[in-house]
Amino acid sequence: RIENMRKKLFVVIPIIICLLLSSYGTVFATETPATTRLAGNDRYETAAQIAKAGWQQADCAVLAYGGNYPDALAAVPLAYKLNAPILLTNKDTLNANTSNVLQALKIKTVYLIGGTGVISANQETQLKNARYTVKRIAGQDRYDTAIKIAAELGAVHEIAVTTGSDYADALSIGPIAALKQMPIILVSKDQITNGVQSYLSSQSITTTYIIGDQSIISDTVANKFSNPERITGKEKYERNVAILDEFWSTFDQSKVCFATGENFADALAGGVYAAKKGGTVMLIKNDLPVNTCDYLNHMTSLNSYTVFGGEGAIPSSLLLYISSHTRTPSTTLDFGTLSGQNYTNNYFNLSITIPDGWQTEDNIALTQEGTDSTSTDASTYDLAYLLSASKGDSTGFIAQSSDIGTLVSSKNFLELYKVALTEFVFPREVYTQNLNGTNFNVLEFQATDNSGIAYGKIYAAVVKGQICLFTIAYSDSAGLAEVNQIFSSINFGQ
C-alpha cells in the first residue's frame, strides 16, 4: 500500500506543480526594490499623506481617534467598502492636516468611529458647520463599536475574530478582511459580549478565523463561533506572517506594504490604502523577526516597497537590510542527510527522527524516480523528496518540498490535492495544527485497494518559501502511533 501511495504522489504532485507554474510563472527579482515612503512629521500627517497618495477624490472619509487604538481596530473593512481613506484626529478639535485632506479630496460624508469619549461632540459640530454630512458609528465600548461597524457591511459569511486588548492582530488581518469584506470582531480572552452574541445570531457564518492561540483567545470563546479556524504564532510578527500565508491567494504579493508593528497608527491608516491597491500590510521592526525575514526572502514578485511612516518608525537602514539580505531565490536547497535514524536538513534547519526497525529510502533516488531526472542538486527540482521511511507494507512516512510555496499557500495546495486525488475519500475539511512552533495545514484521506483500507494525513507548511509536505499512512492504531512518533519529532529549529 505504501508503494502504491508513493506512486500516486509521484503522479499527482508534479501535475499540481506544473499547473501552478503555468498559471503564475516563476520570476526571481534580484534588483534592489524601489521604495515609496508615505510619511509626515507625526501620525496625523502620515495618515494625510497616505490618503493623498491613494485618493485624488473621495465622497467619504473615515475619521478615527489618533491617541489610542481600540475603537478604530475594526474600521478597515468599512473604509474599503466606502472607498474612503482613514484619517486621524484629536479628541476635541479637528487636526489641521486632516482638515486639509478633507477639503483637498472634496469629501462629502465623514464617518466618526467611536463615541464622544474619543471624538468629541464639539468636533462633530465643527464638521457639520463645515457642511460635511457626519455619521457616527459608536457602541458602549470597543467590542460594541466593532459590532456596529460589522453591521455596516451587511450580510456576511466569514468573520475574523481578534483580541480587543492589543492592536497588532486586528491590523494584520485588516486589509485581507477588507478585500474579503468580512468584519473584524473584537473579543476579550474569556468571554464575548451580548452584542457579539446578538450579531452572530443575525448572520449565517460559515467560517471564523480566530487570530491567536488559547493564551490570547480561549477555546471557550473560540467555540462560540461557527467553524473556528485558528491562525497562530508565538508573537505578533509571527502571527502577521501566518495571516499572510493563510490568505496568500487573496492579495497581490507585489503590493505588500510595510508598517511598524510597534505602534498602531500607520498600519491603521495604511491598511485601507494597501487593500485599495489589492495588497496587504506586513509588520516589521528594527530587529527583523526570523519568520518575517524568511517570508520576504521568497516574495519574488515584490519589486517595490510602500512604507508607511518616517525614519523613526521604519529607518532606511532596515529597508537596506531587507533589500540586501532577502532578495535571492532559493538556490541552496539540499536533500538533507540521514545519519543512523536521524535526518537533518540545514536549509530548513529541519530535524526528523525515524524509529528503530523502519526502512529508509534514498531521497535523491526517489526524486529522480519521480521526475525522471539525474541531477543530485535539490534546488534544480520543482519537487524534491527529502525522506521516505516505511515499516512493513502498510505504515509509511514521506517528506517532500516544493518551491511552489512562492505561488500558493499550503492550505490552497492541499485543496488542489482533494481535486486531483479523485479516488480518495476525505473525511473532513483541511484544518490547522501547530507542532513544535510550526503551523501546519492538514488534509486527512482514506484509500481502498485489494489489501484493505489505508488511512493517511498530509501536513503542509510554507517554510523559507517552500511548501514542505509530510505524508503519513497507516492501516491501524498501532501504525498510527508509529507514524505519529515520527511526526512529533519534526522540528524546524523553532
Side-chain angles (χ1 to χ4, degrees):
R1 297 179 208 173
I2 298 304
E3 181 64 22
N4 289 338
M5 182 190 72
R6 197 183 76 193
K7 289 180 179 178
K8 174 59 68 174
L9 291 171
F10 282 161
V11 172
V12 172
I13 299 179
I15 290 174
I16 295 173
I17 290 171
C18 286
L19 288 172
L20 288 167
L21 287 174
S22 63
S23 298
Y24 294 92
T26 301
V27 179
F28 292 113
T30 57
E31 68 274 12
T32 301
T35 300
T36 299
R37 187 186 289 273
L38 302 177
N41 292 321
D42 56 26
R43 63 187 58 186
Y44 304 95
E45 188 176 357
T46 292
Q49 293 298 327
I50 292 169
K52 288 191 289 186
W55 290 262
Q56 292 183 330
Q57 189 276 325
D59 291 334
C60 302
V62 171
L63 199 57
Y65 176 51
N68 207 350
Y69 62 84
D71 289 305
L73 286 180
V76 175
L78 174 62
Y80 180 80
K81 179 181 179 179
L82 297 171
N83 190 22
I86 293 179
L87 296 165
L88 304 178
T89 191
N90 307 302
K91 176 184 174 181
D92 295 315
T93 58
L94 188 64
N95 180 271
N97 286 298
T98 302
S99 177
N100 290 338
V101 172
L102 292 176
Q103 297 175 48
L105 298 186
K106 300 179 181 178
I107 300 295
K108 299 180 179 66
T109 302
V110 178
Y111 285 77
L112 305 182
I113 305 300
T116 55
V118 291
I119 300 177
S120 68
N122 177 62
Q123 188 166 175
E124 183 175 348
T125 299
Q126 284 182 298
L127 289 165
K128 289 178 178 178
N129 289 340
R131 298 187 177 180
Y132 296 108
T133 299
V134 179
K135 296 183 179 181
R136 187 185 290 270
I137 302 176
Q140 295 179 347
D141 53 28
R142 66 191 68 183
Y143 307 103
D144 196 28
T145 296
I147 291 299
K148 300 288 187 185
I149 295 171
E152 295 286 329
L153 299 180
V156 298
H157 300 293
E158 295 181 307
I159 57 175
V161 178
T162 75
T163 177
S165 301
D166 201 359
Y167 57 85
D169 294 341
L171 297 180
S172 289
I173 196 71
I176 291 164
L179 291 170
K180 293 173 70 67
Q181 278 298 276
M182 63 180 181
I184 299 171
I185 307 299
L186 304 182
V187 297
S188 62
K189 177 184 175 181
D190 294 314
Q191 63 182 0
I192 64 173
T193 65
N194 292 334
V196 173
Q197 290 179 324
S198 177
Y199 175 78
L200 293 176
S201 66
S202 72
Q203 300 289 328
S204 298
I205 305 300
T206 58
T207 305
T208 304
Y209 299 101
I210 308 288
I211 312 302
D213 61 19
Q214 294 184 56
S215 68
I216 298 174
I217 299 174
S218 69
D219 280 344
T220 300
V221 170
N223 291 334
K224 293 183 182 295
F225 295 89
S226 299
N227 298 319
E229 176 183 331
R230 283 194 186 270
I231 303 174
T232 63
K234 290 180 291 188
E235 38 76 32
K236 58 187 171 183
Y237 296 97
E238 189 169 317
R239 291 193 295 275
N240 176 250
V241 169
I243 289 167
L244 300 188
D245 177 48
E246 174 76 19
F247 298 102
W248 182 267
S249 61
T250 301
F251 61 92
D252 184 342
Q253 293 87 41
S254 68
K255 298 293 177 20
V256 174
C257 305
F258 294 155
T260 178
E262 302 302 294
N263 210 320
F264 77 94
D266 297 343
L268 172 64
V272 66
Y273 172 97
K276 181 178 173 65
K277 299 297 183 181
T280 190
V281 172
M282 172 169 274
L283 302 181
I284 60 175
K285 63 174 182 174
N286 262 335
D287 182 15
L288 199 64
V290 173
N291 293 73
T292 305
C293 193
D294 284 347
Y295 194 87
L296 285 167
N297 193 38
H298 292 87
M299 292 194 65
T300 56
S301 60
L302 190 59
N303 298 321
S304 62
Y305 299 149
T306 298
V307 180
F308 303 133
E311 288 287 332
I314 299 178
S316 296
S317 58
L318 176 57
L319 298 176
L320 181 61
Y321 177 87
I322 291 172
S323 298
S324 60
H325 287 77
T326 63
R327 299 306 302 168
T328 56
S330 54
T331 56
T332 57
L333 175 67
D334 61 82
F335 285 109
T337 302
L338 185 65
S339 177
Q341 300 301 110
N342 298 311
Y343 171 86
T344 56
N345 187 297
N346 291 331
Y347 180 76
F348 292 116
N349 197 21
L350 169 65
S351 62
I352 305 172
T353 301
I354 305 299
D356 292 333
W358 280 63
Q359 179 184 356
T360 58
E361 298 181 77
D362 179 29
N363 46 16
I364 298 176
L366 282 167
T367 298
Q368 292 170 353
E369 180 183 345
T371 59
D372 195 27
S373 176
T374 59
S375 174
T376 57
D377 180 0
S379 65
T380 64
Y381 294 101
D382 294 326
L383 174 69
Y385 285 78
L386 305 179
L387 176 65
S388 178
S390 61
K391 185 175 184 181
D393 64 352
S394 60
T395 309
F397 170 84
I398 298 175
Q400 304 154 282
S401 71
S402 171
D403 205 18
I404 215 71
T406 56
L407 303 179
V408 67
S409 72
S410 55
K411 181 180 180 181
N412 289 339
F413 193 86
L414 291 182
E415 295 292 348
L416 291 173
Y417 256 103
K418 294 175 66 176
V419 176
L421 295 172
T422 55
E423 69 271 43
F424 285 15
V425 174
F426 304 98
R428 60 184 295 189
E429 296 299 314
V430 174
Y431 61 93
T432 59
Q433 179 178 337
N434 185 279
L435 181 69
N436 296 330
T438 299
N439 288 319
F440 289 92
N441 284 291
V442 187
L443 174 64
E444 296 184 9
F445 64 87
Q446 298 174 9
T448 304
D449 60 19
N450 294 333
S451 303
I453 300 177
Y455 303 92
K457 299 179 184 181
I458 304 172
Y459 295 79
V462 175
V463 181
K464 297 187 72 172
Q466 298 263 338
I467 288 186
C468 291
L469 301 163
F470 302 96
T471 303
I472 62 174
Y474 55 94
S475 59
D476 53 33
S477 58
L480 175 60
E482 291 260 16
V483 290
N484 277 343
Q485 182 181 348
I486 298 176
F487 192 76
S488 64
S489 75
I490 294 174
N491 195 304
F492 284 98
Q494 299 289 343

